[in-house]
């Protein structure tokens, strides 16, 4: 299939499913679209017993899309910049220390805990999987997905200090998680020796380099916006910052997601907005990036729903997925204990913050994209099915109930 046809089909489906959700279901966008797409795909499966034409066309469509490349190399930068642009920078500045520890130490602890728990859980199911591959799964499933989290948090009306912790962590821990994943991936594939030097170098180049690049992009964008007063050109400048910055980061092996989060936070800061944008420009920049955010989110969750077609469903794999869901929740709860204990007295924490952040730590497209990048000898089929089950449960079950939990504990 050519790219225009693929894009057209995805947008038409997204528009149709989005209408059904808005008109009838009235669920948060990510939840409604994924649910409708999965139901649509299951209906196509049933129909295939009488006529498999539609099933073959849908399978051809989804196999024509390189999900990993489309999400990680293209869509993610736009989505993270849009999310960071509308994040409360002042609250994030106040909560920066716990957010930093959540995104770094918390992700590392979760990766190891998940790896250990999954290794022994699979043993119980007579699935003999190398411990390194279990750690690899821990790395890809531990980061919370900023795209899923941002969409849900907008709807539930969480207290600002809690929202900042959850959203701030999700904006940064995907970059850290990808670095951890790449490090373990290299070890698992025999491409790197286990050494502190190799890990430190990769971390510094990817993470620190990405943040520095984001600071530079944000500052240059700010100076350009401040020097003119033309909303059309200024909107295009923000778009160029994301696209040019992403290409630069990819070329020099820096973390494009972290660069875009940093740049978006700078451009979206109240002081930068007041000094660089007129009222008209600010409205147009916000509306443009809100539209980009909604459009790409809509397409992404339709794609996630359709990924069910590329899975190898075996009873043992499905059972493993459901067994691992509570293990992941336990690992996340434990990984959040330390930073919450350290800062509970210094900063204001809402009641049951650990429980809310555990249940509100949604997984999404990033985990599926990383699972798709595994090779067959890394138990790709097994971990892809487990990841998909975890993501669907996370978004449909946790996403639908986290709002009630927040209201219950923050009254």
């Amino acid at each position: 299939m050519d790219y225009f046809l693929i894009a057209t089909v995805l947008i038409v489906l997204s528009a149709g499913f989005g209408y059904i959700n808005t008109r009838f279901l009235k669920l948060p966008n990510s939840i409604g679209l994924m649910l409708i797409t999965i139901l649509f795909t299951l209906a196509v499966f049933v129909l295939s017993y009488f006529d498999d034409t539609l099933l073959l066309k849908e399978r051809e469509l989804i196999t024509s899309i390189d999900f990993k490349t489309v999400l990680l190399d293209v869509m993610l930068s736009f989505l993270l910049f849009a999310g960071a642009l509308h994040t409360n920078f002042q609250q994030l500045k106040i909560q920066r220390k716990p957010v930093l520890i959540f995104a770094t130490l918390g992700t590392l602890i979760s990766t190891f805990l998940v790896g250990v728990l999954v290794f022994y859980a699979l043993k119980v199911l007579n699935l003999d999987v190398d411990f390194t591959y279990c750690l690899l799964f821990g790395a890809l499933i531990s980061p919370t997905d900023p795209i899923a989290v941002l969409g849900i948090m907008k709807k539930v009306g969480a207290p600002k200090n809690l929202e900042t912790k959850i959203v701030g962590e999700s904006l940064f821990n995907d970059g850290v998680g990808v670095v951890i994943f790449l490090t373990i991936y290299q070890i698992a594939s025999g491409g790197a020796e286990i050494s502190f030097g190799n890990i430190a170098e990769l971390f510094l180049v990817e993470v620190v380099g990405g943040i520095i690049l984001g600071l530079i992009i944000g500052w240059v964008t700010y100076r350009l916006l401040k020097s003119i007063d033309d909303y059309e050109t200024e909107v295009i400048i923000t778009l160029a910052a994301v696209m040019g910055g992403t290409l630069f980061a990819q070329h020099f092996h820096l973390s494009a997601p972290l660069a875009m989060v940093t740049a978006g936070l700078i451009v979206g800061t109240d002081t930068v907005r007041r000094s660089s944008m007129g009222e008209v420009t600010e409205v147009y920049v916000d509306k443009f990036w809100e539209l980009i955010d909604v459009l790409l989110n809509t397409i992404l969750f339709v794609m996630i729903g359709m990924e069910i077609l590329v899975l190898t469903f075996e009873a043992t794999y499905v059972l493993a997925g459901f067994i691992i869901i509570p293990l992941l929740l336990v690992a996340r709860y434990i990984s959040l204990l330390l930073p919450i204990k350290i800062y509970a007295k210094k900063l204001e924490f809402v009641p049951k913050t650990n429980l809310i952040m555990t249940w509100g730590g949604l997984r999404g497209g990033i985990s599926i994209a990383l699972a798709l990048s595994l090779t067959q000898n890394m138990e790709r089929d097994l971990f892809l099915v487990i990841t998909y089950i975890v993501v669907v449960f996370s978004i449909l079950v946790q996403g639908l109930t986290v709002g009630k939990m927040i209201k219950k504990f923050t009254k």
Side-chain angles (χ1 to χ4, degrees):
M1 289 190 177
D2 64 72
Y3 292 124
F4 182 75
L5 177 58
I6 292 171
T8 300
V9 172
L10 286 175
I11 289 175
V12 169
L13 287 175
S14 299
F17 295 162
Y19 176 82
I20 293 170
N21 180 52
T22 304
R23 180 75 173 81
F24 301 105
L25 300 183
K26 297 180 173 30
L27 294 171
N29 221 33
S30 54
I31 296 173
L33 286 166
M34 178 183 283
L35 178 61
I36 293 168
T37 307
I38 290 174
L39 292 175
F40 172 78
T41 303
L42 291 176
V44 171
F45 268 123
V46 173
L47 183 63
S48 68
Y49 287 102
F50 306 98
D51 184 351
D52 63 358
T53 304
L54 189 56
L55 176 64
L56 294 175
K57 288 293 183 183
E58 188 176 351
R59 184 168 282 149
E60 182 186 0
L61 171 71
I62 203 65
T63 53
S64 300
I65 302 169
D66 186 344
F67 187 93
K68 174 178 175 290
T69 300
V70 169
L71 176 56
L72 296 183
D73 294 347
V74 181
M75 294 174 69
L76 189 57
S77 291
F78 291 92
L79 289 163
L80 290 178
F81 182 86
L85 191 68
H86 300 108
T87 299
N88 189 319
F89 182 79
Q90 293 305 317
Q91 268 293 327
L92 186 59
K93 188 177 179 181
I94 295 169
Q95 306 287 343
R96 66 188 181 279
K97 290 181 180 179
V99 165
L100 179 63
I101 297 180
F102 288 145
T104 53
L105 183 61
T107 305
L108 279 167
I109 293 172
S110 177
T111 297
F112 180 76
L113 286 175
V114 170
V116 172
L117 292 172
V118 168
F119 178 74
Y120 287 107
L122 294 178
K123 287 278 188 189
V124 172
L125 294 173
N126 295 317
L127 292 170
D128 190 20
V129 179
D130 191 282
F131 179 65
T132 307
Y133 302 151
C134 293
L135 277 180
L136 202 55
F137 172 73
L140 70 87
I141 206 69
S142 289
T144 53
D145 192 299
I147 302 154
V149 171
L150 282 165
I152 302 298
M153 285 298 109
K154 288 177 182 178
K155 297 284 185 181
V156 300
K160 285 299 177 186
N161 60 339
L162 176 64
E163 180 183 343
T164 301
K165 290 183 184 74
I166 296 175
V167 172
E169 178 206 12
S170 68
L171 283 171
F172 285 101
N173 72 0
D174 67 300
V176 174
V178 168
V179 172
I180 297 171
F181 176 85
L182 290 174
T183 303
I184 300 174
Y185 187 95
Q186 289 180 14
I187 295 168
S189 60
E193 296 180 2
I194 302 175
S195 78
F196 178 78
N198 287 342
I199 295 172
E201 181 182 356
L202 184 60
F203 183 86
L204 286 172
V205 171
E206 286 268 351
V207 176
V208 179
I211 292 172
I212 292 172
L213 175 61
L215 290 170
I216 294 170
I217 293 170
W219 182 81
V220 170
T221 304
Y222 159 68
R223 297 300 302 179
L224 291 172
L225 296 178
K226 188 176 181 179
S227 64
I228 61 173
D229 185 17
D230 181 89
Y231 75 87
E232 294 170 330
T233 305
E234 291 179 75
V235 169
I236 294 171
I237 286 172
T238 62
L239 182 61
V242 174
M243 298 179 75
T246 299
L247 282 178
F248 187 92
Q250 290 170 354
H251 181 76
F252 289 99
H253 304 290
L254 308 176
S255 174
L258 289 176
M260 292 306 106
V261 168
T262 307
L265 287 172
I266 292 172
V267 176
T269 305
D270 288 340
T271 52
V272 171
R273 284 172 174 268
R274 285 193 295 267
S275 61
S276 64
M277 301 183 205
E279 289 184 14
V280 175
T281 297
E282 191 171 354
V283 169
Y284 274 90
V285 166
D286 282 341
K287 292 301 180 185
F288 174 79
W289 283 104
E290 282 175 17
L291 181 60
I292 292 289
D293 188 30
V294 170
L295 175 62
L296 294 184
N297 258 306
T298 301
I299 294 171
L300 173 62
F301 283 98
V302 167
M303 286 169 59
I304 291 175
M306 294 175 71
E307 283 293 320
I308 195 172
L309 290 171
V310 303
L311 303 180
T312 304
F313 283 106
E314 293 187 14
T316 310
Y317 293 2
V318 174
L319 179 60
F322 285 106
I323 289 174
I324 285 169
I325 287 171
L327 299 182
L328 291 177
L329 293 171
V330 170
R332 175 158 173 81
Y333 186 89
I334 295 171
S335 71
L336 295 171
L337 280 175
L338 181 61
I340 289 176
K341 289 291 183 184
I342 292 172
Y343 291 101
K345 294 181 180 179
K346 299 177 183 178
L347 295 169
E348 183 184 354
F349 279 65
V350 302
K352 306 292 184 183
T353 292
N354 201 343
L355 188 62
I356 295 171
M357 290 189 67
T358 297
W359 197 250
L362 308 183
R363 274 75 177 194
I366 292 171
S367 294
I368 292 176
L370 293 176
L372 284 165
S373 71
L374 297 174
T375 60
Q376 286 300 329
N377 68 324
M378 294 175 180
E379 306 291 346
R380 181 182 187 270
D381 291 341
L382 167 64
F383 286 127
L384 190 53
V385 170
I386 294 173
T387 302
Y388 195 85
I389 290 171
V390 169
V391 168
V392 171
F393 177 87
S394 170
I395 292 174
L396 296 186
V397 179
Q398 293 173 231
L400 278 173
T401 55
V402 69
K404 294 178 182 177
M405 178 182 284
I406 290 172
K407 290 176 182 177
K408 179 180 178 180
F409 291 124
T410 59
K411 282 183 179 179

